[in-house]
Amino acid sequence: MCGIVGYIGKNEKKEVILNGLKELEYRGYDSAGMAIYDGVELRHFKAVGKLENLSSKMSDFTSAGAGVAIGHTRWATHGKPTEINAHPHLGEYSFVIHNGIIENYKELKTELEKAGVRFVSQTDTEVIVHLFEFYNKSASSPFEAYEKTISRLQGAYATLLITKAAPNVVFFAKNAAPMIIGQSGDEFYFASSDAPLIGLCDSAIYLDDGCYGFADTSGNLKIFDSDKKPFNKAPTALSKDKGYAQKGGYRFFMEKEIYEQSAVASECLMGRISGDEVCLDIDESVLESRDEVVLCACGTSYHAALTASYLLERLAKIRTKVEIASEFRYKSPFLNKNALFVVISQSGETADTLEALKIAKNAGLKSLAICNVDNSSIVRLADAVLLTRAGIEKGVASTKAFATQVLVLWLLALRLAKMRNTLSPSEFSSETEALRGIPAVLNFAPALQERIYRICKHYLHGHGFFFIGRDIFYPLALEGALKLKEISYLHAEGYPSGEMKHGPIALADSGLYTIALLPSTCLYDKAISNAQELAARDAFITAISPEPFELADDYIATSKHSHMMSEFFEMMVVLQLLALEISVRLGNDVDMPRNLAKSVTVE
Ligand code: M6R
């Protein structure tokens, strides 16, 4: 995810910006850049890859003297991670950096191109700087030109702009992407989160959506709200703890990532549903004439694959197989050349999945990677790629990566359904309507977490957990059990509800915790009967359902939904929070559980 830092003052600007960007490194990025006005010249530098590359490109450059500077780390969304696409973007005499997505950039670009403007990058951001220079030709001041520019933008943006037309000024604007401003004497600091400001300012102003304005080297700061009225929000004291700031105020990265799921789901769906159509950002020739899908992954990504197998068969009516990558590698798999081979990996570096992909490619299968990390080994090898756009995930226990994998796989199932003509128009539109609603489903109130924290004290003893569910709620049960195992070190299994009576029910007694997923949209009566069988053997039952279950020892109420995927995503959050809070109560390291690594590059 991109990061923004800006500075106005007399200190060595290059260092202030590099240090600030360093604090945002944890968010992940694939290129970086900065623009600096040092009182004499406006210079810019860009580099692909790590900040060290940018720093070494600038090693001979110093920027003493009062001036302004803006810097950016970019996580590619529109266009590849190249130097041209890295920020800042240049007009003729101005530079801009931006986080977010300008949704109407195509129409703005067309308009500007008709006026003779030449674009060099593939990004949406570049329109901002050209629009500014276009308006600046006729505006009474650069600020008026900036105000006009911002009024034309639709979508999400946190943006800073510097220009030779007003060399001592930083223009800023914010909508649906974070931007804060700190002041210390006559120095100003800008950033997309508070981590770069810690230690430099005691407090900062958190801009509201629609705010814009400017600050300058004479200590002036003017902020306006979306009605163009002065914005007078009082500064908020900044934490002194950088680690806390990186976690956005949450105790753990995993907790922050659970809360981020709504936002990353929006990002994941952006541009991929248009009206009732699903538009995948790939060359669709890989999908054509396929008569089978083989999904291959490990761990949580394997659970996303299992979930997708239900969606692909039900919606696209295509034969689907799911393979655990480490097993697939050595089983001499029978491979059908007309199958689409889909690998799923948040890191893109998992050795088993990468090797499985090589086997499928060597056998002549078309391949598709669903991955969170652009340029990773798996991404580079696959014929086509759908990025999940979850942003960097720090918690070893995967949460938002899983949510976005399932979303992308659902989109894939719908695209194949369209190509194979397996859904009626009304069935298709109820799917796209449900998909659009997922960011809202993932937006939960902290009261849910408090409730889960309270009931978790019941679960610290006993001899194990069974997570049970049917249909797509079976892979979700597997995922709930894996989350709990990973960070609590308690024994947990996921099982299909109907399978308990074939053996595992022998374990049922009052020390066995059963987490029963009882969605109202999917085999409710059947799932209830299975939970009753366990209750009759005195198992401790936690029901997760929109319907109260009279035999439950604990009950976590979910909302009523009309689509089973909405219930799936709401229950997913409950299971993630359950694992988190049990782990917290046990005093474990939530983000770095013992024996586990974020990227498993060994066999
Ligand atoms: O990076 P990948 O998605 O390929 O990783 C696969 C598994 O190692 C991973 O999902 C693991 O199970 C996580 N720790 C789950 O939380």
Side-chain angles (χ1 to χ4, degrees), residues 298-301 344-348 350 353 396-398 405 479 482-483 486 596-598 600:
C298 304
T300 285
S301 301
I344 306 156
S345 171
Q346 58 81 27
S347 63
T350 302
T353 313
V396 167
S398 186
Q405 285 169 345
E479 175 58 9
L482 179 64
K483 285 292 83 88
E486 285 188 293
L596 299 179
K598 187 67 188 157
V600 186

Side-chain angles (χ1 to χ4, degrees), residues 411-568:
L411 287 165
L412 175 68
L414 288 174
R415 188 64 203 125
L416 285 167
K418 183 56 110 197
M419 293 167 88
R420 296 162 62 83
N421 202 16
T422 51
L423 291 178
S424 70
S426 73
E427 286 168 332
F428 202 88
S429 81
S430 79
E431 292 295 314
T432 50
E433 195 187 318
L435 255 174
R436 278 203 184 84
I438 299 305
V441 170
L442 291 169
N443 203 356
F444 61 97
L448 173 68
Q449 188 175 3
E450 282 154 28
R451 159 117 185 99
I452 291 174
Y453 174 71
R454 270 189 293 114
I455 67 171
C456 275
K457 57 180 173 289
H458 302 157
Y459 306 132
L460 309 181
H461 311 291
H463 57 78
F465 287 77
F466 269 99
F467 287 69
I468 57 169
R470 303 188 74 126
D471 203 281
I472 52 168
F473 295 87
Y474 159 52
L476 184 59
L478 289 174
E479 175 58 9
L482 179 64
K483 285 292 83 88
L484 185 65
K485 270 191 266 227
E486 285 188 293
I487 58 174
S488 73
Y489 321 139
L490 297 172
H491 182 243
E493 295 302 327
Y495 246 85
S497 309
E499 190 63 13
M500 292 297 284
K501 57 183 172 293
H502 297 291
I505 202 164
L507 294 172
D509 63 16
S510 59
L512 178 80
Y513 301 116
T514 303
I515 313 293
L517 303 178
L518 305 171
S520 64
T521 52
C522 180
L523 301 170
Y524 178 73
D525 294 337
K526 306 273 175 211
I528 282 287
S529 306
N530 301 139
Q532 278 163 346
E533 288 155 14
L534 282 152
R537 272 113 192 137
D538 212 20
F540 187 105
I541 309 280
T542 305
I544 303 176
S545 178
E547 305 290 346
F549 174 46
E550 56 190 7
L551 299 178
D553 297 280
D554 271 330
Y555 170 55
I556 301 171
T558 50
S559 320
K560 286 220 178 338
H561 294 283
S562 55
H563 197 288
M564 65 167 86
M565 288 304 286
S566 310
E567 289 206 276
F568 176 97

